[in-house]
Amino acid sequence: MMGAMMSGRLAVAATLGLSCALAVVLAVTGWRISRQQLRVPVAGSEGWWEEEFGRGARQVARLEALWEEALDARAQAFLAGEDPRDGSVAGVRSVYRLDSSKKEPQWLAGETLTSPPLLGKYAETEDAWVFPDQALVGSGWMDEGDGRRAYVRGNGAAAVVMVLDPERTAKVVRREARLGRGESELGGSWQWLAPQESATPRGDADESIRQLSSFGAWTLRIWNPVERQIRYQLPLLIGGFVAAGVVMLAGGWLAWAQAGAWKRAAEQVSFANQVSHELRTPLTNLMLNADLAIDDAARGGRSVSPRLGVMREEMERLSRIVENVLIFSRGRHRTRQLREVDLVAPLGEVVEGFRFPLARKDMSLSWERPDTCHVATDPEAVGRIVVNLLSNAEKYAGAGSAVRVRLAQVQGRLRLEVADDGPGIPAGQERRVFRPFVRGGSSTREGVSGTGLGLAISRSLAGELGGRLMMVSAARGACFRLEIPLAERRAG
Ligand code: ADP
């Protein structure tokens, strides 16, 4: 009974634990789903904008200077009569030379243009700009009017004109501009974009400004600094907590109902235990008196009424039921006091006790054993197991069948088998019949009385003895085997 109460408590605790775990999972899931991380832009201060635009302007100036330096170095090399085509500056489409002595521009490198630059058209000069038939000096930028731009460097006698390709220039600038992209020290982000580039890294910029340079127009886009903020979707959050609460309540109710059911079951077992206790003494007295009556009659030479024998047997059966109920309600898995005994004699007594009742049902009984069988065990518990197994054989094997009890020592174990050639246990029921209160379908159908405790108690007793009770397959009928290691010594 204690064991049943313990498992009852465990079941209640498991229900509570499971419902708590489920509630926590629901609450946490709700919380996580409802949680949103937002990136909220924060307006930059005036100083910040100025800083960012200044940074952009400096970047353009740096690129312009680098570009012009590279172009000028190439132009001077051409003027000096070298041909630095291998190290041509990216973005340059074609290079022409204008000589004071020649009317037409002379092509030097790159593509030949259908309309080569005609210096006579241009009036824009930087230092002292000179027309083709005069001396050519200084350097500067020219706008050809059709979207082309050109860089010119003259040395008095001649000038080199480098016509730039707007698309190639944009490509170079884009590559350079990418170097200038990054996180601002003030928390925002900024990017230089070449005129053609339209894609932006993260949606629309918060601010954009156009800036003109030697390469064309630039756009400086600026994104505000962003702040990460956590927001919760209330319906989801509340839903998660409500679901968790409902699960907790349901779990609590279930555990409460379970506890009640276990308590009632425990009370019933306790009641059965008390009744069995009350029955035990009068039953023992009745059996004693029946035995005395049979002995008296035998001593006086009188014949004993067969009815007395039947009464004695029924008392025996009742006593077995009472004993089983008492053992069951006492609880399982107790430690037993083991002692070294020769089991042959005590088990022989138990087996012989069944000879007469079996014979009355026209059943035969064979008892095979060695001369001695020493083992450290509790003979009473072994006897109880044999009583239960033989009682089942008597109940279920049917009239005319043969019951065999065999005791042997096999490979360091005591092996005790009780077999019959009755209908046996149907396939698929072999495990079930060892559970408490479980009775085979046919037993109840055929009206054989029983409590469904015999096999459960026997298996539990076998465990207490350090052994095990199992069903072994047999050609016919049922065969149960108890095995106990001979070397097993257990102190109680
Ligand atoms: P009970 O005999 O009180 O029903 P047991 O736990 O001793 O309880 O047995 C459980 C069930 O196992 C029985 O109801 C019966 O169906 C089946 N059983 C046990 N022993 C035998 C056997 N020798 N032959 C056939 N069926 C058996």
Side-chain angles (χ1 to χ4, degrees), residues 388-389 392-397 420 422-426 429 433-435 438-444 448-457 477-480:
N388 283 338
L389 297 179
N392 279 350
E394 180 196 344
K395 285 195 289 184
Y396 303 114
D420 62 59
I425 291 184
Q429 298 257 313
V433 290
F434 282 99
R435 291 195 209 134
V438 170
R439 306 201 62 219
S442 58
S443 342
T444 36
V448 183
S449 67
T451 55
L453 287 176
L455 287 179
I457 288 173
C479 178
F480 292 91

PDB file of all heavy atoms in Angstrom, residues 388-389 392-397 420 422-426 429 433-435 438-444 448-457 477-480, ligand 1:
ATOM      1  N   ASN A 388       0.879 -19.911  -5.185  1.00  0.00           N
ATOM      2  CA  ASN A 388       0.126 -19.130  -6.186  1.00  0.00           C
ATOM      3  C   ASN A 388       0.134 -19.817  -7.546  1.00  0.00           C
ATOM      4  O   ASN A 388      -0.887 -19.869  -8.234  1.00  0.00           O
ATOM      5  CB  ASN A 388       0.706 -17.723  -6.312  1.00  0.00           C
ATOM      6  CG  ASN A 388       0.281 -16.846  -5.141  1.00  0.00           C
ATOM      7  OD1 ASN A 388      -0.718 -17.127  -4.477  1.00  0.00           O
ATOM      8  ND2 ASN A 388       1.049 -15.798  -4.868  1.00  0.00           N
ATOM      9  N   LEU A 389       1.312 -20.337  -7.938  1.00  0.00           N
ATOM     10  CA  LEU A 389       1.412 -20.955  -9.266  1.00  0.00           C
ATOM     11  C   LEU A 389       0.587 -22.247  -9.327  1.00  0.00           C
ATOM     12  O   LEU A 389      -0.117 -22.507 -10.304  1.00  0.00           O
ATOM     13  CB  LEU A 389       2.882 -21.229  -9.626  1.00  0.00           C
ATOM     14  CG  LEU A 389       3.769 -19.986  -9.747  1.00  0.00           C
ATOM     15  CD1 LEU A 389       5.204 -20.362 -10.071  1.00  0.00           C
ATOM     16  CD2 LEU A 389       3.222 -19.050 -10.838  1.00  0.00           C
ATOM     17  N   ASN A 392      -3.065 -21.520  -9.432  1.00  0.00           N
ATOM     18  CA  ASN A 392      -3.501 -21.141 -10.793  1.00  0.00           C
ATOM     19  C   ASN A 392      -3.651 -22.368 -11.678  1.00  0.00           C
ATOM     20  O   ASN A 392      -4.617 -22.477 -12.435  1.00  0.00           O
ATOM     21  CB  ASN A 392      -2.481 -20.189 -11.430  1.00  0.00           C
ATOM     22  CG  ASN A 392      -2.688 -18.767 -10.947  1.00  0.00           C
ATOM     23  OD1 ASN A 392      -3.692 -18.473 -10.290  1.00  0.00           O
ATOM     24  ND2 ASN A 392      -1.744 -17.895 -11.240  1.00  0.00           N
ATOM     25  N   ALA A 393      -2.676 -23.303 -11.576  1.00  0.00           N
ATOM     26  CA  ALA A 393      -2.754 -24.519 -12.388  1.00  0.00           C
ATOM     27  C   ALA A 393      -4.052 -25.254 -12.040  1.00  0.00           C
ATOM     28  O   ALA A 393      -4.780 -25.724 -12.920  1.00  0.00           O
ATOM     29  CB  ALA A 393      -1.544 -25.401 -12.137  1.00  0.00           C
ATOM     30  N   GLU A 394      -4.346 -25.320 -10.744  1.00  0.00           N
ATOM     31  CA  GLU A 394      -5.562 -26.014 -10.302  1.00  0.00           C
ATOM     32  C   GLU A 394      -6.808 -25.338 -10.883  1.00  0.00           C
ATOM     33  O   GLU A 394      -7.747 -25.987 -11.331  1.00  0.00           O
ATOM     34  CB  GLU A 394      -5.612 -26.005  -8.764  1.00  0.00           C
ATOM     35  CG  GLU A 394      -6.830 -26.702  -8.198  1.00  0.00           C
ATOM     36  CD  GLU A 394      -7.073 -26.364  -6.724  1.00  0.00           C
ATOM     37  OE1 GLU A 394      -6.145 -25.836  -6.073  1.00  0.00           O
ATOM     38  OE2 GLU A 394      -8.193 -26.629  -6.249  1.00  0.00           O
ATOM     39  N   LYS A 395      -6.762 -23.965 -10.888  1.00  0.00           N
ATOM     40  CA  LYS A 395      -7.951 -23.222 -11.338  1.00  0.00           C
ATOM     41  C   LYS A 395      -8.118 -23.256 -12.846  1.00  0.00           C
ATOM     42  O   LYS A 395      -9.223 -23.353 -13.360  1.00  0.00           O
ATOM     43  CB  LYS A 395      -7.843 -21.753 -10.897  1.00  0.00           C
ATOM     44  CG  LYS A 395      -8.115 -21.550  -9.419  1.00  0.00           C
ATOM     45  CD  LYS A 395      -8.373 -20.083  -9.095  1.00  0.00           C
ATOM     46  CE  LYS A 395      -7.113 -19.246  -9.194  1.00  0.00           C
ATOM     47  NZ  LYS A 395      -7.337 -17.844  -8.789  1.00  0.00           N
ATOM     48  N   TYR A 396      -6.972 -23.106 -13.583  1.00  0.00           N
ATOM     49  CA  TYR A 396      -7.114 -22.842 -15.023  1.00  0.00           C
ATOM     50  C   TYR A 396      -6.776 -24.016 -15.944  1.00  0.00           C
ATOM     51  O   TYR A 396      -7.158 -23.998 -17.103  1.00  0.00           O
ATOM     52  CB  TYR A 396      -6.234 -21.637 -15.419  1.00  0.00           C
ATOM     53  CG  TYR A 396      -6.574 -20.397 -14.631  1.00  0.00           C
ATOM     54  CD1 TYR A 396      -5.674 -19.846 -13.738  1.00  0.00           C
ATOM     55  CD2 TYR A 396      -7.831 -19.805 -14.774  1.00  0.00           C
ATOM     56  CE1 TYR A 396      -5.998 -18.723 -12.998  1.00  0.00           C
ATOM     57  CE2 TYR A 396      -8.155 -18.678 -14.031  1.00  0.00           C
ATOM     58  CZ  TYR A 396      -7.235 -18.141 -13.140  1.00  0.00           C
ATOM     59  OH  TYR A 396      -7.562 -17.037 -12.421  1.00  0.00           O
ATOM     60  N   ALA A 397      -6.001 -25.028 -15.446  1.00  0.00           N
ATOM     61  CA  ALA A 397      -5.554 -26.082 -16.368  1.00  0.00           C
ATOM     62  C   ALA A 397      -6.707 -26.996 -16.799  1.00  0.00           C
ATOM     63  O   ALA A 397      -6.703 -27.531 -17.907  1.00  0.00           O
ATOM     64  CB  ALA A 397      -4.433 -26.887 -15.737  1.00  0.00           C
ATOM     65  N   ASP A 420       1.770 -26.757 -16.571  1.00  0.00           N
ATOM     66  CA  ASP A 420       0.577 -27.621 -16.741  1.00  0.00           C
ATOM     67  C   ASP A 420       0.312 -27.761 -18.234  1.00  0.00           C
ATOM     68  O   ASP A 420       0.918 -27.064 -19.041  1.00  0.00           O
ATOM     69  CB  ASP A 420      -0.628 -26.999 -16.008  1.00  0.00           C
ATOM     70  CG  ASP A 420      -1.016 -25.655 -16.552  1.00  0.00           C
ATOM     71  OD1 ASP A 420      -1.341 -25.560 -17.752  1.00  0.00           O
ATOM     72  OD2 ASP A 420      -0.973 -24.651 -15.776  1.00  0.00           O
ATOM     73  N   GLY A 422      -2.737 -27.403 -19.595  1.00  0.00           N
ATOM     74  CA  GLY A 422      -4.072 -26.836 -19.827  1.00  0.00           C
ATOM     75  C   GLY A 422      -4.070 -25.916 -21.041  1.00  0.00           C
ATOM     76  O   GLY A 422      -3.183 -26.002 -21.894  1.00  0.00           O
ATOM     77  N   PRO A 423      -5.007 -24.988 -21.113  1.00  0.00           N
ATOM     78  CA  PRO A 423      -5.113 -24.109 -22.301  1.00  0.00           C
ATOM     79  C   PRO A 423      -3.981 -23.064 -22.371  1.00  0.00           C
ATOM     80  O   PRO A 423      -3.737 -22.481 -23.420  1.00  0.00           O
ATOM     81  CB  PRO A 423      -6.460 -23.412 -22.113  1.00  0.00           C
ATOM     82  CG  PRO A 423      -6.730 -23.484 -20.653  1.00  0.00           C
ATOM     83  CD  PRO A 423      -6.094 -24.732 -20.151  1.00  0.00           C
ATOM     84  N   GLY A 424      -3.295 -22.820 -21.238  1.00  0.00           N
ATOM     85  CA  GLY A 424      -2.187 -21.848 -21.237  1.00  0.00           C
ATOM     86  C   GLY A 424      -2.692 -20.414 -21.313  1.00  0.00           C
ATOM     87  O   GLY A 424      -3.896 -20.145 -21.239  1.00  0.00           O
ATOM     88  N   ILE A 425      -1.743 -19.492 -21.472  1.00  0.00           N
ATOM     89  CA  ILE A 425      -2.102 -18.065 -21.522  1.00  0.00           C
ATOM     90  C   ILE A 425      -2.064 -17.605 -22.968  1.00  0.00           C
ATOM     91  O   ILE A 425      -1.075 -17.850 -23.668  1.00  0.00           O
ATOM     92  CB  ILE A 425      -1.130 -17.263 -20.645  1.00  0.00           C
ATOM     93  CG1 ILE A 425      -1.440 -17.648 -19.186  1.00  0.00           C
ATOM     94  CG2 ILE A 425      -1.273 -15.756 -20.849  1.00  0.00           C
ATOM     95  CD1 ILE A 425      -0.701 -16.941 -18.148  1.00  0.00           C
ATOM     96  N   PRO A 426      -3.142 -16.992 -23.442  1.00  0.00           N
ATOM     97  CA  PRO A 426      -3.184 -16.600 -24.864  1.00  0.00           C
ATOM     98  C   PRO A 426      -2.023 -15.670 -25.234  1.00  0.00           C
ATOM     99  O   PRO A 426      -1.587 -14.854 -24.397  1.00  0.00           O
ATOM    100  CB  PRO A 426      -4.518 -15.858 -25.000  1.00  0.00           C
ATOM    101  CG  PRO A 426      -5.264 -16.105 -23.750  1.00  0.00           C
ATOM    102  CD  PRO A 426      -4.319 -16.553 -22.709  1.00  0.00           C
ATOM    103  N   GLN A 429      -0.883 -11.915 -23.992  1.00  0.00           N
ATOM    104  CA  GLN A 429      -1.324 -11.634 -22.614  1.00  0.00           C
ATOM    105  C   GLN A 429      -0.196 -11.888 -21.612  1.00  0.00           C
ATOM    106  O   GLN A 429      -0.382 -11.656 -20.423  1.00  0.00           O
ATOM    107  CB  GLN A 429      -2.492 -12.568 -22.265  1.00  0.00           C
ATOM    108  CG  GLN A 429      -3.728 -12.393 -23.128  1.00  0.00           C
ATOM    109  CD  GLN A 429      -4.791 -11.631 -22.381  1.00  0.00           C
ATOM    110  OE1 GLN A 429      -5.079 -11.925 -21.241  1.00  0.00           O
ATOM    111  NE2 GLN A 429      -5.343 -10.626 -23.022  1.00  0.00           N
ATOM    112  N   VAL A 433      -0.720 -10.384 -17.623  1.00  0.00           N
ATOM    113  CA  VAL A 433      -1.203 -11.152 -16.476  1.00  0.00           C
ATOM    114  C   VAL A 433      -0.361 -10.933 -15.223  1.00  0.00           C
ATOM    115  O   VAL A 433      -0.804 -11.260 -14.120  1.00  0.00           O
ATOM    116  CB  VAL A 433      -1.282 -12.669 -16.801  1.00  0.00           C
ATOM    117  CG1 VAL A 433      -2.398 -12.945 -17.780  1.00  0.00           C
ATOM    118  CG2 VAL A 433       0.045 -13.188 -17.303  1.00  0.00           C
ATOM    119  N   PHE A 434       0.823 -10.351 -15.373  1.00  0.00           N
ATOM    120  CA  PHE A 434       1.663 -10.093 -14.194  1.00  0.00           C
ATOM    121  C   PHE A 434       1.297  -8.768 -13.519  1.00  0.00           C
ATOM    122  O   PHE A 434       1.840  -8.450 -12.469  1.00  0.00           O
ATOM    123  CB  PHE A 434       3.146 -10.065 -14.594  1.00  0.00           C
ATOM    124  CG  PHE A 434       3.722 -11.445 -14.793  1.00  0.00           C
ATOM    125  CD1 PHE A 434       3.851 -11.996 -16.049  1.00  0.00           C
ATOM    126  CD2 PHE A 434       4.121 -12.197 -13.695  1.00  0.00           C
ATOM    127  CE1 PHE A 434       4.379 -13.270 -16.223  1.00  0.00           C
ATOM    128  CE2 PHE A 434       4.647 -13.476 -13.858  1.00  0.00           C
ATOM    129  CZ  PHE A 434       4.775 -14.014 -15.133  1.00  0.00           C
ATOM    130  N   ARG A 435       0.408  -7.992 -14.156  1.00  0.00           N
ATOM    131  CA  ARG A 435       0.029  -6.716 -13.535  1.00  0.00           C
ATOM    132  C   ARG A 435      -1.043  -6.950 -12.470  1.00  0.00           C
ATOM    133  O   ARG A 435      -1.902  -7.828 -12.655  1.00  0.00           O
ATOM    134  CB  ARG A 435      -0.528  -5.755 -14.593  1.00  0.00           C
ATOM    135  CG  ARG A 435       0.541  -5.291 -15.535  1.00  0.00           C
ATOM    136  CD  ARG A 435       0.059  -4.100 -16.306  1.00  0.00           C
ATOM    137  NE  ARG A 435       0.720  -4.092 -17.602  1.00  0.00           N
ATOM    138  CZ  ARG A 435       0.122  -3.879 -18.745  1.00  0.00           C
ATOM    139  NH1 ARG A 435      -1.164  -3.620 -18.781  1.00  0.00           N
ATOM    140  NH2 ARG A 435       0.798  -3.891 -19.869  1.00  0.00           N
ATOM    141  N   VAL A 438      -5.121  -7.691 -12.928  1.00  0.00           N
ATOM    142  CA  VAL A 438      -5.423  -8.085 -14.312  1.00  0.00           C
ATOM    143  C   VAL A 438      -5.710  -9.575 -14.331  1.00  0.00           C
ATOM    144  O   VAL A 438      -4.922 -10.381 -13.832  1.00  0.00           O
ATOM    145  CB  VAL A 438      -4.229  -7.748 -15.249  1.00  0.00           C
ATOM    146  CG1 VAL A 438      -4.453  -8.380 -16.612  1.00  0.00           C
ATOM    147  CG2 VAL A 438      -4.081  -6.254 -15.388  1.00  0.00           C
ATOM    148  N   ARG A 439      -6.840  -9.918 -14.926  1.00  0.00           N
ATOM    149  CA  ARG A 439      -7.219 -11.324 -15.021  1.00  0.00           C
ATOM    150  C   ARG A 439      -7.411 -11.661 -16.490  1.00  0.00           C
ATOM    151  O   ARG A 439      -7.872 -10.841 -17.264  1.00  0.00           O
ATOM    152  CB  ARG A 439      -8.528 -11.575 -14.263  1.00  0.00           C
ATOM    153  CG  ARG A 439      -8.485 -11.104 -12.819  1.00  0.00           C
ATOM    154  CD  ARG A 439      -9.534 -11.793 -11.992  1.00  0.00           C
ATOM    155  NE  ARG A 439      -9.306 -13.221 -11.949  1.00  0.00           N
ATOM    156  CZ  ARG A 439     -10.279 -14.124 -11.992  1.00  0.00           C
ATOM    157  NH1 ARG A 439     -11.529 -13.744 -12.090  1.00  0.00           N
ATOM    158  NH2 ARG A 439      -9.996 -15.413 -11.956  1.00  0.00           N
ATOM    159  N   GLY A 440      -7.019 -12.870 -16.861  1.00  0.00           N
ATOM    160  CA  GLY A 440      -7.187 -13.290 -18.248  1.00  0.00           C
ATOM    161  C   GLY A 440      -8.656 -13.295 -18.609  1.00  0.00           C
ATOM    162  O   GLY A 440      -9.505 -13.575 -17.763  1.00  0.00           O
ATOM    163  N   GLY A 441      -8.949 -12.930 -19.884  1.00  0.00           N
ATOM    164  CA  GLY A 441     -10.345 -12.814 -20.312  1.00  0.00           C
ATOM    165  C   GLY A 441     -11.148 -14.056 -20.030  1.00  0.00           C
ATOM    166  O   GLY A 441     -12.248 -13.983 -19.476  1.00  0.00           O
ATOM    167  N   SER A 442     -10.572 -15.241 -20.319  1.00  0.00           N
ATOM    168  CA  SER A 442     -11.345 -16.476 -20.188  1.00  0.00           C
ATOM    169  C   SER A 442     -11.647 -16.784 -18.723  1.00  0.00           C
ATOM    170  O   SER A 442     -12.677 -17.351 -18.403  1.00  0.00           O
ATOM    171  CB  SER A 442     -10.597 -17.624 -20.837  1.00  0.00           C
ATOM    172  OG  SER A 442      -9.334 -17.732 -20.227  1.00  0.00           O
ATOM    173  N   SER A 443     -10.729 -16.371 -17.790  1.00  0.00           N
ATOM    174  CA  SER A 443     -10.942 -16.680 -16.370  1.00  0.00           C
ATOM    175  C   SER A 443     -12.241 -16.069 -15.881  1.00  0.00           C
ATOM    176  O   SER A 443     -13.025 -16.698 -15.184  1.00  0.00           O
ATOM    177  CB  SER A 443      -9.801 -16.145 -15.512  1.00  0.00           C
ATOM    178  OG  SER A 443      -8.677 -15.865 -16.265  1.00  0.00           O
ATOM    179  N   THR A 444     -12.438 -14.785 -16.273  1.00  0.00           N
ATOM    180  CA  THR A 444     -13.655 -14.130 -15.793  1.00  0.00           C
ATOM    181  C   THR A 444     -14.877 -14.705 -16.510  1.00  0.00           C
ATOM    182  O   THR A 444     -15.930 -14.891 -15.913  1.00  0.00           O
ATOM    183  CB  THR A 444     -13.572 -12.619 -16.025  1.00  0.00           C
ATOM    184  OG1 THR A 444     -12.893 -12.386 -17.245  1.00  0.00           O
ATOM    185  CG2 THR A 444     -12.825 -11.927 -14.909  1.00  0.00           C
ATOM    186  N   VAL A 448     -14.181 -18.451 -13.120  1.00  0.00           N
ATOM    187  CA  VAL A 448     -13.177 -18.897 -12.155  1.00  0.00           C
ATOM    188  C   VAL A 448     -12.889 -17.722 -11.221  1.00  0.00           C
ATOM    189  O   VAL A 448     -12.617 -16.618 -11.688  1.00  0.00           O
ATOM    190  CB  VAL A 448     -11.872 -19.321 -12.874  1.00  0.00           C
ATOM    191  CG1 VAL A 448     -10.873 -19.854 -11.863  1.00  0.00           C
ATOM    192  CG2 VAL A 448     -12.172 -20.354 -13.929  1.00  0.00           C
ATOM    193  N   SER A 449     -12.987 -17.981  -9.914  1.00  0.00           N
ATOM    194  CA  SER A 449     -12.827 -16.847  -8.995  1.00  0.00           C
ATOM    195  C   SER A 449     -11.351 -16.469  -8.836  1.00  0.00           C
ATOM    196  O   SER A 449     -10.457 -17.297  -9.027  1.00  0.00           O
ATOM    197  CB  SER A 449     -13.426 -17.194  -7.637  1.00  0.00           C
ATOM    198  OG  SER A 449     -12.659 -18.218  -7.062  1.00  0.00           O
ATOM    199  N   GLY A 450     -11.100 -15.264  -8.484  1.00  0.00           N
ATOM    200  CA  GLY A 450      -9.719 -14.806  -8.303  1.00  0.00           C
ATOM    201  C   GLY A 450      -9.696 -13.296  -8.131  1.00  0.00           C
ATOM    202  O   GLY A 450     -10.699 -12.615  -8.333  1.00  0.00           O
ATOM    203  N   THR A 451      -8.538 -12.815  -7.729  1.00  0.00           N
ATOM    204  CA  THR A 451      -8.405 -11.367  -7.497  1.00  0.00           C
ATOM    205  C   THR A 451      -7.484 -10.699  -8.518  1.00  0.00           C
ATOM    206  O   THR A 451      -7.388  -9.477  -8.566  1.00  0.00           O
ATOM    207  CB  THR A 451      -7.798 -11.114  -6.097  1.00  0.00           C
ATOM    208  OG1 THR A 451      -6.573 -11.852  -6.035  1.00  0.00           O
ATOM    209  CG2 THR A 451      -8.728 -11.549  -4.998  1.00  0.00           C
ATOM    210  N   GLY A 452      -6.756 -11.485  -9.278  1.00  0.00           N
ATOM    211  CA  GLY A 452      -5.799 -10.914 -10.242  1.00  0.00           C
ATOM    212  C   GLY A 452      -4.521 -10.462  -9.560  1.00  0.00           C
ATOM    213  O   GLY A 452      -3.748  -9.695 -10.119  1.00  0.00           O
ATOM    214  N   LEU A 453      -4.300 -10.965  -8.318  1.00  0.00           N
ATOM    215  CA  LEU A 453      -3.109 -10.525  -7.572  1.00  0.00           C
ATOM    216  C   LEU A 453      -1.997 -11.567  -7.541  1.00  0.00           C
ATOM    217  O   LEU A 453      -0.834 -11.227  -7.324  1.00  0.00           O
ATOM    218  CB  LEU A 453      -3.499 -10.198  -6.123  1.00  0.00           C
ATOM    219  CG  LEU A 453      -4.295  -8.929  -5.888  1.00  0.00           C
ATOM    220  CD1 LEU A 453      -4.677  -8.810  -4.415  1.00  0.00           C
ATOM    221  CD2 LEU A 453      -3.483  -7.721  -6.328  1.00  0.00           C
ATOM    222  N   GLY A 454      -2.358 -12.844  -7.757  1.00  0.00           N
ATOM    223  CA  GLY A 454      -1.406 -13.948  -7.544  1.00  0.00           C
ATOM    224  C   GLY A 454      -0.089 -13.770  -8.287  1.00  0.00           C
ATOM    225  O   GLY A 454       0.984 -13.819  -7.678  1.00  0.00           O
ATOM    226  N   LEU A 455      -0.146 -13.550  -9.602  1.00  0.00           N
ATOM    227  CA  LEU A 455       1.091 -13.461 -10.386  1.00  0.00           C
ATOM    228  C   LEU A 455       1.851 -12.182 -10.060  1.00  0.00           C
ATOM    229  O   LEU A 455       3.080 -12.184 -10.003  1.00  0.00           O
ATOM    230  CB  LEU A 455       0.784 -13.538 -11.884  1.00  0.00           C
ATOM    231  CG  LEU A 455       0.374 -14.922 -12.400  1.00  0.00           C
ATOM    232  CD1 LEU A 455       0.079 -14.880 -13.888  1.00  0.00           C
ATOM    233  CD2 LEU A 455       1.460 -15.955 -12.115  1.00  0.00           C
ATOM    234  N   ALA A 456       1.103 -11.078  -9.845  1.00  0.00           N
ATOM    235  CA  ALA A 456       1.770  -9.806  -9.529  1.00  0.00           C
ATOM    236  C   ALA A 456       2.558  -9.941  -8.239  1.00  0.00           C
ATOM    237  O   ALA A 456       3.725  -9.536  -8.140  1.00  0.00           O
ATOM    238  CB  ALA A 456       0.734  -8.698  -9.407  1.00  0.00           C
ATOM    239  N   ILE A 457       1.930 -10.534  -7.221  1.00  0.00           N
ATOM    240  CA  ILE A 457       2.609 -10.706  -5.930  1.00  0.00           C
ATOM    241  C   ILE A 457       3.795 -11.648  -6.079  1.00  0.00           C
ATOM    242  O   ILE A 457       4.883 -11.400  -5.554  1.00  0.00           O
ATOM    243  CB  ILE A 457       1.608 -11.251  -4.888  1.00  0.00           C
ATOM    244  CG1 ILE A 457       0.636 -10.133  -4.516  1.00  0.00           C
ATOM    245  CG2 ILE A 457       2.327 -11.777  -3.661  1.00  0.00           C
ATOM    246  CD1 ILE A 457      -0.479 -10.598  -3.629  1.00  0.00           C
ATOM    247  N   GLY A 477       0.017 -25.773 -22.697  1.00  0.00           N
ATOM    248  CA  GLY A 477      -0.253 -25.243 -21.368  1.00  0.00           C
ATOM    249  C   GLY A 477       0.623 -24.070 -20.981  1.00  0.00           C
ATOM    250  O   GLY A 477       1.256 -23.437 -21.819  1.00  0.00           O
ATOM    251  N   ALA A 478       0.623 -23.826 -19.667  1.00  0.00           N
ATOM    252  CA  ALA A 478       1.392 -22.681 -19.160  1.00  0.00           C
ATOM    253  C   ALA A 478       2.585 -23.207 -18.392  1.00  0.00           C
ATOM    254  O   ALA A 478       2.503 -24.247 -17.732  1.00  0.00           O
ATOM    255  CB  ALA A 478       0.504 -21.851 -18.246  1.00  0.00           C
ATOM    256  N   CYS A 479       3.692 -22.470 -18.495  1.00  0.00           N
ATOM    257  CA  CYS A 479       4.878 -22.863 -17.722  1.00  0.00           C
ATOM    258  C   CYS A 479       5.496 -21.600 -17.128  1.00  0.00           C
ATOM    259  O   CYS A 479       5.855 -20.681 -17.857  1.00  0.00           O
ATOM    260  CB  CYS A 479       5.876 -23.589 -18.622  1.00  0.00           C
ATOM    261  SG  CYS A 479       7.371 -24.049 -17.724  1.00  0.00           S
ATOM    262  N   PHE A 480       5.566 -21.545 -15.785  1.00  0.00           N
ATOM    263  CA  PHE A 480       6.167 -20.389 -15.099  1.00  0.00           C
ATOM    264  C   PHE A 480       7.483 -20.840 -14.493  1.00  0.00           C
ATOM    265  O   PHE A 480       7.588 -21.958 -13.985  1.00  0.00           O
ATOM    266  CB  PHE A 480       5.233 -19.888 -14.002  1.00  0.00           C
ATOM    267  CG  PHE A 480       3.971 -19.269 -14.560  1.00  0.00           C
ATOM    268  CD1 PHE A 480       2.832 -20.051 -14.777  1.00  0.00           C
ATOM    269  CD2 PHE A 480       3.929 -17.925 -14.882  1.00  0.00           C
ATOM    270  CE1 PHE A 480       1.683 -19.492 -15.306  1.00  0.00           C
ATOM    271  CE2 PHE A 480       2.774 -17.363 -15.400  1.00  0.00           C
ATOM    272  CZ  PHE A 480       1.652 -18.151 -15.624  1.00  0.00           C
TER     273      PHE A 480
HETATM  274  P1  ADP B   1      -6.133 -14.710 -10.584  1.00  0.00           P
HETATM  275  O1  ADP B   1      -5.790 -16.141 -10.672  1.00  0.00           O
HETATM  276  O2  ADP B   1      -6.642 -14.317  -9.258  1.00  0.00           O
HETATM  277  O3  ADP B   1      -7.001 -14.256 -11.715  1.00  0.00           O
HETATM  278  P2  ADP B   1      -3.320 -14.284 -11.147  1.00  0.00           P
HETATM  279  O4  ADP B   1      -2.521 -13.043 -11.057  1.00  0.00           O
HETATM  280  O5  ADP B   1      -2.851 -15.440 -10.375  1.00  0.00           O
HETATM  281  O6  ADP B   1      -4.807 -13.858 -10.733  1.00  0.00           O
HETATM  282  O7  ADP B   1      -3.432 -14.683 -12.658  1.00  0.00           O
HETATM  283  C1  ADP B   1      -3.744 -13.723 -13.620  1.00  0.00           C
HETATM  284  C2  ADP B   1      -4.363 -14.383 -14.832  1.00  0.00           C
HETATM  285  O8  ADP B   1      -3.402 -15.192 -15.495  1.00  0.00           O
HETATM  286  C3  ADP B   1      -5.483 -15.306 -14.509  1.00  0.00           C
HETATM  287  O9  ADP B   1      -6.725 -14.596 -14.416  1.00  0.00           O
HETATM  288  C4  ADP B   1      -5.479 -16.278 -15.677  1.00  0.00           C
HETATM  289  O10 ADP B   1      -6.208 -15.742 -16.777  1.00  0.00           O
HETATM  290  C5  ADP B   1      -4.035 -16.310 -16.103  1.00  0.00           C
HETATM  291  N1  ADP B   1      -3.353 -17.529 -15.634  1.00  0.00           N
HETATM  292  C6  ADP B   1      -2.523 -17.640 -14.562  1.00  0.00           C
HETATM  293  N2  ADP B   1      -2.039 -18.899 -14.472  1.00  0.00           N
HETATM  294  C7  ADP B   1      -2.569 -19.609 -15.500  1.00  0.00           C
HETATM  295  C8  ADP B   1      -2.447 -20.976 -15.938  1.00  0.00           C
HETATM  296  N3  ADP B   1      -1.703 -21.860 -15.287  1.00  0.00           N
HETATM  297  N4  ADP B   1      -3.160 -21.341 -17.030  1.00  0.00           N
HETATM  298  C9  ADP B   1      -3.916 -20.452 -17.698  1.00  0.00           C
HETATM  299  N5  ADP B   1      -4.066 -19.156 -17.345  1.00  0.00           N
HETATM  300  C10 ADP B   1      -3.392 -18.736 -16.237  1.00  0.00           C
END
